[in-house]
Amino acid sequence: MKILVTGGTGYIGSHTVVELQQQGFEVVIIDNLSNSQIGVIDAITSITGIKPHFEQFDLVNRELTSQFFSRHTDIMGVIHFAAFKAVGESVEKPLKYYRNNLVSLMNILESMSEFNIPNLVFSSSCTVYGQPDELPVSEKAPTKKAESPYGNTKQISEEIIQDTLKSSKMNAIALRYFNPIGAHESAKIGELPLGVPNNLVPFITQTAIGIRQQLSVFGDDYNTPDGTAVRDYIHVVDLAQAHVIAVKRMIELKMKQSFEIFNLGTGTGLSVLDVITSFERVSGEKLNYKIVGRRAGDIEQVWANSDFSNEVLGWKAKKTVDEMTASAWKWEKVYREIV
Ligand code: UFG
């Protein structure tokens, strides 16, 4: 069974390709390598023993997208990761984000419709909830006006998909990720941010290894137990496994309606200091950090109610925060070749 993974050389994409291959799926990857490296294909091959078919082009190009699908009419499902994801950059360059994230989605949906490809899994985000009124936040919570153009592309994408489904025979599952961190246990694939990392865990590991001088902790005056902001960190392999389950659910015709939404989180909120403490515990390193002011656009706290995913998908995040930070640290060390 052939599955197309767009953005399959990226962070979550590459981990999902591994899980799909290990469950017997044939995987085709499209990636323009704008934020990932071709070496990831070899890394995937070395983990699974199977080289995924890879095509490098930009899904914003409608012609190339349509030509691709005309050559692969036997695709059973598409997992669409390919998108820009830097919140801050999206504020600076909104049109870059709207064009890339929305046009590529529309091109894919048009081709799926043209070539009768029935199933789409879409990478969404808990950012659609903004600062929820109730915690933990469930899928039933209202979406809030997006804080950034990036977040808005996720909201609009869910709407584009829903509208498209109304006039087609397609099915879609939107997976709303909380904060994916960590790396594959082999340390052959992991998160590879270009330049200065925006996200917490790559910044922690790069600081510990000496590439960054000091981690800035953005704010300790939030209304949380230790004053630092709270998120639901989830191991990227747990997240990847949920995609395989979602794909199977579609292929096995188990969906209850044509569009389903699932939260992917652990259900536990951790503060920035909790993550730092875990990192220090598993690595034995003392992290150089200092408390600075809040980061613009950050919400105070969010964590998932994952009951619906647990019950309906039969999926549950298994890995602990120490497994997450330990795997991120191992990956950083292996990648920098000092182990
Ligand atoms: N943080 C720091 N210092 C840093 C980086 C982050 O203190 O150097 C803090 C942030 O202020 C925040 C927490 O660590 O409180 C997590 O920050 P991340 O940047 O790792 O993650 P975010 O929660 O801001 O963003 C993530 C994804 C987005 C997604 C969003 C949804 O990166 O793509 O979750 O909430 F939209």
Side-chain angles (χ1 to χ4, degrees), residues 60 84 89-91 93-106 145-157 160:
V60 170
F84 292 151
E89 188 195 38
S90 79
V91 177
K93 298 173 183 166
L95 295 178
K96 176 177 169 180
Y97 275 66
Y98 286 116
R99 175 178 296 281
N100 185 65
N101 293 6
L102 301 182
V103 175
S104 58
L105 172 67
M106 290 189 283
K145 183 164 169 34
E147 293 276 351
S148 68
Y150 158 77
N152 208 19
T153 67
K154 293 297 175 190
Q155 289 190 1
I156 297 170
S157 292
I160 290 173

Side-chain angles (χ1 to χ4, degrees), residues 8 43 51 54 86 122 124 165-166 172 178 217 240 281 296 302 321 325:
K51 193 175 179 110
F54 172 68
F122 177 69
S124 191
L165 297 183
K166 284 179 196 149
F178 283 69
V217 173
R281 184 165 54 232
V302 66
V321 64
T325 52

Side-chain angles (χ1 to χ4, degrees), residues 125 127 150 179 198-200 216-218 229 231 233 295 298:
S125 166
T127 193
Y150 158 77
N179 285 53
N198 293 304
N199 296 114
L200 178 63
S216 296
V217 173
F218 298 132
R231 299 286 184 275
Y233 296 92
R295 182 170 70 177
D298 269 350

Side-chain angles (χ1 to χ4, degrees), residues 102-273:
L102 301 182
V103 175
S104 58
L105 172 67
M106 290 189 283
N107 287 343
I108 289 168
L109 287 169
E110 275 173 339
S111 288
M112 287 178 69
S113 170
E114 187 182 351
F115 295 101
N116 296 313
I117 293 167
N119 302 312
L120 174 71
V121 177
F122 177 69
S123 282
S124 191
S125 166
C126 69
T127 193
V128 301
Y129 298 121
Q131 177 60 64
D133 298 328
E134 278 177 40
L135 287 168
V137 63
S138 84
E139 295 84 350
K140 292 196 182 72
T143 58
K144 296 243 175 101
K145 183 164 169 34
E147 293 276 351
S148 68
Y150 158 77
N152 208 19
T153 67
K154 293 297 175 190
Q155 289 190 1
I156 297 170
S157 292
E158 286 194 8
E159 288 170 4
I160 290 173
I161 293 167
Q162 269 179 289
D163 287 342
T164 307
L165 297 183
K166 284 179 196 149
S167 65
S168 82
K169 290 197 188 103
M170 263 186 260
N171 302 303
I173 292 180
L175 298 176
R176 290 179 176 166
Y177 313 149
F178 283 69
N179 285 53
I181 61 171
H184 193 262
E185 60 179 4
S186 66
K188 290 178 177 172
I189 52 173
E191 191 170 6
L192 254 186
L194 290 182
V196 182
N198 293 304
N199 296 114
L200 178 63
V201 170
F203 210 108
I204 288 176
T205 56
Q206 289 195 12
T207 304
I209 212 148
I211 298 171
R212 312 282 156 210
Q213 219 190 346
Q214 188 174 54
L215 170 78
S216 296
V217 173
F218 298 132
D220 69 347
D221 56 352
Y222 286 108
N223 185 22
T224 59
D226 65 23
T228 64
V230 168
R231 299 286 184 275
D232 187 336
Y233 296 92
I234 174 167
H235 197 293
V236 67
V237 172
D238 279 333
L239 197 75
Q241 285 167 355
H243 291 75
V244 181
I245 293 170
V247 160
K248 284 187 179 163
R249 178 174 174 81
M250 302 182 109
I251 291 173
E252 291 165 7
L253 306 176
K254 289 188 178 151
M255 289 177 75
K256 296 277 184 287
Q257 47 203 32
S258 62
F259 185 59
E260 295 180 336
I261 297 173
F262 295 100
N263 280 347
L264 297 183
T266 64
T268 303
L270 294 173
S271 72
V272 175
L273 293 181

